[in-house]
Amino acid sequence: MTTDGDGNSKQYKTTAVVPASITSIQNANWHGRIPIQLSIAPTSLSSPNKPRTIHRMVSRMTYLHIGLFDEIMYLYEYAPSSIMAGTRLGKQAVVVREEPPDSPPKQEQQDHESDINDKKRIKEDIERHQDEEITFQSNQTESSAPYNDNNKDQRSEQSTYLTSTNSSFPECWFEDEESGIPLRWQLFVGVLYDLMKGRLVVNNPGSPCNKFRNLPWKLRIHFTSYPTDQLLPLDIAVPPQQRVSENDESINTAKHNNASQQAQINTLIGRIYRNSLKQALFLQYGSSKVAMSITKNNHEKIWDAVLQTNYEAYHQVNTELQVGVMAQPINNKLSLTDDLTSTDEKYNKDLPQLVPVRVLLNDKPAIQKPTLPQKKAISECLKQRPTEILQDDAVMFVSPYTTLGDVLVSCLPDLFTIDDATDCHTHYSIQGVQPSLSTTIVDLWRSLCHPDHFLYVTVATQ
């Protein structure tokens, strides 16, 4: 209600902005994909014919070794034979056959070959190099059938991966092609990409296109020279239940080998994921009671949802785990007209005891500090309002909630200041976006946390 020059009152209609629900934002993040261009490192290549470059859309909520499993196994066929029959696999290896690719590889400088000629050339290459395949304790070989992209199961059965009585997933690692930095396999794809994107932004401040056109993300896979000084060991042990007898015919089938190797990497990363989830639950509830009470069935459901990047299945279990996931976004502006007698329980019933937050600066280990959802009690803020009020568009309010800026100032005081100002040499991001530093950390955590319940804040500097 306002008045005009004649003193007459006027009433204007206002349009209320309805905030998006927490679950709708989570759902959108789970459906986010990153286009990846994958190639094999020259040092890991033994075949005279370089494999094609692979293009894939990979979920932000998965891990590289899981989201690119099929691509890893395809490129592994081009690794040196000494690696494919290496010490990690022992001396029980049998025949290695090439898995038909998602699209037939083309010879260099032949861009317009017909599909028929491509299939004939692939068949000729396989026959020519058949004698060069490495065979240990087996004389059995398998021929490659024409590729059929409409039948993935048939393609899987036509190929025979490296098998053994102790068959292992290959020890491989990824690097960012632009920077040459090894990528940590225990981090989510979205977190790794945000770190890489941040480096491009701060190193090219005068080129705004880098913020939007640095796609596809170019990665390179290595099967040699694992950087143990920079990455956690990809320690994959074959569980006894997955080992098979030499006399078991299943060791010569691609289906068994593929399932066994995929189970190994899923088990390793699944263990990392569950440990991280338990840490987050402990911070939310202040005890291990909730984490320890998760049933085996729910553990399997939530991990399978992560493997399949299925938000609907994940949400069914997550509603019983994450604190306040069904609550409304917090009103960070408390009016001075609020009742002084309001109790803290009125505002705090859906708040976690501590907010699970990890801040990652460049390629350094994650910074994890206890983060309270509030800087002080609601009632205390209201009582102190005469001295701690702020004015914005004639609306008086105080804010007791911890903000993103508060967290970054606490974790990285040399890079962030309390006045919410950052320079062009620093870039922060959460789930690919750059929210205001005045946003409450609880709202960000509820909406943008990863499947392990941690909010990952990436920070890149020059």
Side-chain angles (χ1 to χ4, degrees), residues 16 39 50 162 192 194 205 285 299 352 407 417:
S39 60
K50 184 178 180 180
L162 183 64
L192 294 171
D194 289 345
Y285 293 95
H299 264 305
V407 174
T417 57

Side-chain angles (χ1 to χ4, degrees), residues 344-363:
D344 291 326
E345 287 75 11
K346 173 182 176 181
Y347 299 92
N348 299 346
K349 61 180 180 179
D350 293 320
L351 294 179
Q353 293 195 20
L354 293 173
V355 184
V357 180
R358 286 173 177 164
V359 178
L360 293 99
L361 174 63
N362 299 326
D363 299 305

Side-chain angles (χ1 to χ4, degrees), residues 184 186-187 191 195 229-232 357-369 411-412 456-459:
R184 287 170 276 185
Q186 74 275 19
L187 294 180
V191 176
L195 284 169
D229 58 331
Q230 295 176 276
L231 300 179
L232 291 177
V357 180
R358 286 173 177 164
V359 178
L360 293 99
L361 174 63
N362 299 326
D363 299 305
K364 297 180 180 180
I367 302 172
Q368 185 173 320
K369 288 187 175 182
C411 294
L412 302 171
Y456 289 87
V457 185
T458 61
V459 180

Side-chain angles (χ1 to χ4, degrees), residues 224-360:
T224 60
S225 304
Y226 192 90
T228 54
D229 58 331
Q230 295 176 276
L231 300 179
L232 291 177
L234 198 66
D235 188 13
I236 300 177
V238 182
Q241 61 270 24
Q242 294 179 9
R243 298 174 185 169
V244 294
S245 168
E246 267 186 60
N247 297 325
D248 192 336
E249 294 181 358
S250 64
I251 66 172
N252 293 323
T253 65
K255 181 177 292 187
H256 174 272
N257 304 326
N258 187 38
S260 175
Q261 291 165 333
Q262 190 162 22
Q264 292 165 32
I265 190 64
N266 289 354
T267 299
L268 172 64
I269 298 181
R271 184 166 62 247
I272 298 292
Y273 167 78
R274 282 188 291 272
N275 288 340
S276 185
L277 177 61
K278 289 178 181 178
Q279 290 181 39
L281 291 173
F282 181 86
L283 293 173
Q284 294 173 61
Y285 293 95
S287 72
S288 59
K289 182 178 179 180
V290 174
M292 299 303 294
S293 63
I294 301 177
T295 64
K296 181 180 179 181
N297 186 41
N298 280 344
H299 264 305
E300 293 175 350
K301 283 183 178 179
I302 199 168
W303 176 234
D304 186 63
V306 174
L307 291 177
Q308 304 298 326
T309 59
N310 185 339
Y311 175 72
E312 289 72 19
Y314 173 84
H315 182 65
Q316 290 179 3
V317 181
N318 191 51
T319 52
E320 302 176 4
L321 299 179
Q322 187 174 0
V323 175
V325 69
M326 302 301 292
Q328 293 297 316
I330 289 175
N331 180 12
N332 199 26
K333 299 180 179 181
L334 300 178
S335 172
L336 292 178
T337 61
D338 281 358
D339 187 1
L340 283 174
T341 60
S342 298
T343 61
D344 291 326
E345 287 75 11
K346 173 182 176 181
Y347 299 92
N348 299 346
K349 61 180 180 179
D350 293 320
L351 294 179
Q353 293 195 20
L354 293 173
V355 184
V357 180
R358 286 173 177 164
V359 178
L360 293 99

